[in-house]
Amino acid sequence: MTLLLQVQGVTKRFGGLQALTQVTFDLPKGQILGLIGPNGAGKTTLFNTINGVYHPEEGRILFKGQDVTNKMPYHLAKMGMARTHQIVRPLNELTVRENVMVGACFGHENQSLGKAAKIADEVLEFVGILNRADQLAGSLNVAQKKRLEMARALASHPHLLLLDEVLAGLNPSEIDGMIQMVLNIREQGITIIMIEHLMKAVMNVSDRIFVLDYGEQIAEGSPNEIVNHPKVIEAYLGDPKLAEQLMEEE
Amino acid sequence: MKNFQKYIGIIIPLLVIAGLLLYPAITGKAAARETAFTILKAIALASSLNILLGYTGYVSFGHIVFFGFGGYVGFYLLSTQGMSLWISILAGGLSSGILAFLLGKAILRLRGAYFALATIGVNEAMRAFINNFDLFGGPTGITLNFKAYLAYGGAAKALEMSFYVVGALAVLAIILSYIIRTSKFGLGLLAIRENEDAAEVMGVFAPDAKTWAYVLSAIIPGMIGVLFFFKNGNVEPHDAFPLHASIELLVMVMLGGQGTVLGPILGAFAYQGMRGYLVTSDFFKDIQLSVSGALLLIIVLFIPAGAIGWLRQRNAILRRVLA
Ligand SMILES: Nc1ncnc2c1ncn2[C@@H]1O[C@H](COP(=O)(O)OP(=O)(O)OP(=O)(O)O)[C@@H](O)[C@H]1O
Ligand SMILES: [Mg+2]
């Protein structure tokens, strides 16, 4: 079992605010890790620290065995890491296809424009917005922009994919489609970390789950272990009955 | 069909240049060549600025510094070192490119208004430096010995030749602009313009890409500077670093539509046409700069701070409505 990502004692502060405290976990190749926690727990900050947007005050991060703690986002992209953003960041004045081509051209495969256009169309087909390819990205609706985020990340053919709340703001049928997509991505051998508030979805999809609360890791384990973990119930779910309800929801 | 559209993007601009080059011969008026020279020079400068402003999304209020600096270096080599016009033009372009490279490392880290302010500072600092730089003649500048024109067949021939050289430089600027616009490098610049953080996350080496965009936007202005001072026969700090010329370039690029190959060309045309009218009209003669300032204001008022282009702005509103 090779470790794709190792996060070792990572601490991140914003002024007086301790956003991450001594976060440690290993991510084996091919797994889906669910990252959950209440609002403001530090989930997005952990992504930002992993992909080089922020640099931690303490600890180190290894990607494919290489220390990447102080690398920039573009270095990590070139090494095969891709992500989506919780708040979508479309390149508004470029077409949907051009947006995706950026991912293919500048990701770790460093594709030429011609090859990137082909990959873009494949990936757009996969995420279901190929019919929008020539439209400006700014004219998409929220669900389509989420798919665009996904397509851009996938176009780089990443080794590690960080998904930040790709289900938020989608309607139930869109959610089912997106979950299916995540499972299909894993089939392709891509390792995934997925931040998600929707319990049912994250429990179904993840191999393992990691729980953050106020920047501290309070639990890690299989979905079943997590949902019965007293600390998680207390911090995240608040009320054990609610936890049961959430799990039982069809 | 796609390819045809692609080529149209370069064919129309080149037809415009061809028309301008033929215009003096067709009208047969001496003044026509002067007018066409000014427009061609504006096209070359505006197209160069567009690489930074239109493609990369960085607003420079001091782009004329590359015209002045490269112009000074080349004109110095030409007038006091006896080098040929061609070598001097190349040297002017090269020195502006080097200046942009060094500046880029220092100020391209700044975003939005901070970068724009820094570019004004750079232009003013350069003017003050040249003003006190004895090698370049300090405040009085450098004057070309009339005999230098003999190597080009005399003053009249040299003037005529300058006209075709400015045409060639305009063509060069347009081809450069087109190549960047349709290249992978250009796609990276557009991504930076739209969202620099997102571009970096997708693997665009933004610091390097911005620096190279800055260098490429500086080279042709430096070459134009040398040619312009050669044609004038002298250079002074006052003529080399006029802040208002930087603003006029911004107006041209924004008027025509930044981020496209054709936009700055149309903008340069429209602005020079208007300017020509204002300068010859008694009423407007003294207020032409106020007019260009007002014009810039009108354009800027339709664009929220930090945003580039009215189309993009329209989409930002659209996005807010959708979200
Ligand atoms: N750039 C920043 N500067 C200062 N504080 C920040 C910054 N980014 C995040 N924070 C703070 O760090 C804490 C963790 O934020 P983060 O966005 O990582 O939470 P999250 O778990 O992703 O929450 P959500 O579920 O709402 O997305 C919050 O208190 C937030 O206000
Ligand atoms: Mg978040």
Side-chain angles (χ1 to χ4, degrees):
Chain A
M1 190 167 73
T2 33
L3 295 178
L4 187 64
L5 183 74
Q6 294 159 271
V7 175
Q8 304 176 337
V10 162
T11 295
K12 177 70 205 162
R13 296 185 197 96
F14 296 113
L17 179 83
Q18 184 104 359
L20 295 172
T21 307
Q22 295 285 328
V23 173
T24 300
F25 67 90
D26 289 337
L27 178 61
K29 230 178 180 157
Q31 280 202 353
I32 297 184
L33 176 69
L35 177 54
I36 64 172
N39 287 324
K43 303 179 296 294
T44 299
T45 302
L46 181 56
F47 270 15
N48 282 330
T49 312
I50 291 172
N51 93 317
V53 174
Y54 301 143
H55 302 299
E57 273 77 37
E58 290 167 34
R60 8 180 254 160
I61 296 164
L62 304 178
F63 180 49
K64 298 188 198 170
Q66 208 176 315
D67 190 331
V68 295
T69 314
N70 289 308
K71 293 253 189 276
M72 296 300 289
Y74 38 84
H75 295 128
L76 287 152
K78 286 279 188 270
M79 287 178 70
M81 198 186 286
R83 73 175 283 184
T84 67
H85 295 96
Q86 181 174 358
I87 296 159
V88 292
R89 292 178 169 179
L91 310 174
N92 284 328
E93 282 296 303
L94 302 188
T95 66
V96 168
R97 182 182 287 110
E98 285 168 332
N99 266 263
V100 182
M101 285 169 67
V102 175
C105 278
F106 296 95
H108 77 113
E109 285 184 341
N110 243 320
Q111 301 288 3
S112 67
L113 280 179
K115 192 81 201 300
K118 274 205 200 90
I119 293 172
D121 283 9
E122 283 164 25
V123 175
L124 285 170
E125 166 112 71
F126 177 75
V127 305
I129 51 171
L130 182 58
N131 57 337
R132 310 274 167 190
D134 293 313
Q135 220 168 296
L136 289 186
S139 69
L140 297 180
N141 67 32
V142 182
Q144 292 162 342
K145 281 178 182 165
K146 293 237 165 192
R147 283 168 187 269
L148 176 60
E149 283 273 330
M150 192 80 123
R152 287 196 316 204
L154 288 175
S156 68
H157 295 152
H159 299 131
L160 174 62
L161 178 60
L162 309 176
L163 301 176
D164 197 346
E165 299 200 19
V166 285
L167 303 181
L170 302 187
N171 70 35
S173 78
E174 289 166 343
I175 288 176
D176 288 344
M178 197 61 112
I179 290 176
Q180 198 48 52
M181 206 187 302
V182 172
L183 292 171
N184 290 344
I185 293 167
R186 200 251 300 263
E187 291 288 290
Q188 299 170 15
I190 298 173
T191 311
I192 298 172
I193 307 182
M194 185 178 178
I195 296 178
E196 203 40 76
H197 278 297
L198 264 173
M199 276 307 195
K200 184 193 146 214
V202 80
M203 293 292 164
N204 283 339
V205 167
S206 308
D207 297 299
R208 280 193 316 147
I209 292 187
F210 186 89
V211 190
L212 275 180
D213 188 24
Y214 292 109
E216 302 202 32
Q217 60 191 101
I218 57 169
E220 189 187 356
S222 71
N224 248 322
E225 287 164 357
I226 290 303
V227 88
N228 294 313
H229 198 294
K231 262 189 167 172
V232 177
I233 293 169
E234 186 190 319
Y236 187 74
L237 304 164
D239 164 6
K241 275 196 192 128
L242 181 65
E244 273 168 38
Q245 274 173 19
L246 280 165
M247 280 315 286
E248 280 161 11
E249 263 177 29
E250 40 85 54
Chain B
M1 190 62 203
K2 253 217 159 114
N3 273 339
F4 178 70
Q5 280 173 355
K6 240 181 162 186
Y7 288 127
I8 276 292
I10 186 76
I11 290 169
I12 293 175
L14 292 179
L15 284 177
V16 174
I17 304 291
L20 277 167
L21 282 170
L22 292 174
Y23 172 65
I26 293 166
T27 58
K29 288 186 210 146
R33 200 172 67 200
E34 234 7 71
T35 308
F37 184 98
T38 310
I39 295 174
L40 286 166
K41 169 175 164 256
I43 287 174
L45 293 177
S47 291
S48 297
L49 175 61
N50 186 42
I51 296 168
L52 185 72
L53 174 69
Y55 298 158
T56 321
Y58 275 70
V59 180
S60 166
F61 270 97
H63 218 64
I64 211 70
V65 74
F66 299 115
F67 167 85
F69 179 73
Y72 249 105
V73 171
F75 193 67
Y76 167 77
L77 295 175
L78 180 77
S79 59
T80 57
Q81 301 299 310
M83 294 200 180
S84 79
L85 176 65
W86 318 115
I87 300 283
S88 303
I89 284 178
L90 289 178
L94 186 68
S95 46
S96 282
I98 293 171
L99 177 67
F101 182 81
L102 298 174
L103 278 178
K105 293 276 167 208
I107 64 173
L108 276 170
R109 251 178 298 208
L110 305 170
R111 291 194 188 176
Y114 296 100
F115 174 78
L117 280 175
T119 59
I120 298 180
V122 165
N123 188 54
E124 296 308 297
M126 183 60 80
R127 189 219 308 267
F129 170 74
I130 299 283
N131 220 1
N132 292 293
F133 190 53
D134 291 335
L135 191 65
F136 285 174
T140 47
I142 311 171
T143 302
L144 188 65
N145 188 322
F146 200 69
K147 281 184 194 140
Y149 290 132
L150 289 179
Y152 308 94
K157 278 266 175 246
L159 275 184
E160 192 185 343
M161 182 188 73
S162 300
F163 175 65
Y164 293 106
V165 176
V166 82
L169 289 175
V171 168
L172 196 65
I174 289 167
I175 291 175
L176 182 67
S177 171
Y178 177 77
I179 289 175
I180 292 174
R181 180 74 177 83
T182 53
S183 69
K184 181 171 157 177
F185 170 67
L187 182 64
L189 296 184
L190 297 178
I192 290 172
R193 179 190 76 191
E194 293 301 312
N195 189 324
E196 191 164 341
D197 293 327
E200 289 197 338
V201 165
M202 283 187 274
V204 179
F205 277 62
D208 290 359
K210 286 188 294 184
T211 301
W212 288 115
Y214 203 31
V215 168
L216 291 169
S217 75
I219 291 173
I220 288 173
M223 299 168 94
I224 293 275
V226 181
L227 179 70
F228 184 73
F229 300 134
F230 168 77
K231 177 175 163 282
N232 276 7
N234 81 314
V235 59
E236 287 171 32
H238 169 76
D239 299 328
F241 305 102
L243 188 59
H244 70 80
S246 287
I247 294 166
E248 288 179 335
L249 286 182
L250 277 176
V251 175
M252 289 175 205
V253 176
M254 296 176 95
L255 196 65
Q258 63 271 58
T260 61
V261 178
L262 191 57
I265 299 170
L266 297 182
F269 231 112
Y271 185 82
Q272 286 301 345
M274 182 201 77
R275 194 172 184 272
Y277 168 74
L278 294 184
V279 170
T280 48
S281 135
D282 276 342
F283 174 66
F284 282 121
K285 204 188 225 152
D286 300 326
I287 62 160
Q288 52 136 324
L289 267 179
S290 320
V291 172
S292 69
L295 200 57
L296 185 64
L297 199 64
I298 289 168
I299 298 170
V300 165
L301 276 178
F302 284 100
I303 300 164
I308 299 296
W310 69 272
L311 241 180
R312 198 180 155 205
Q313 185 221 16
R314 200 171 61 165
N315 271 353
I317 290 169
L318 207 68
R319 184 180 39 175
R320 238 175 286 141
V321 172
L322 285 171

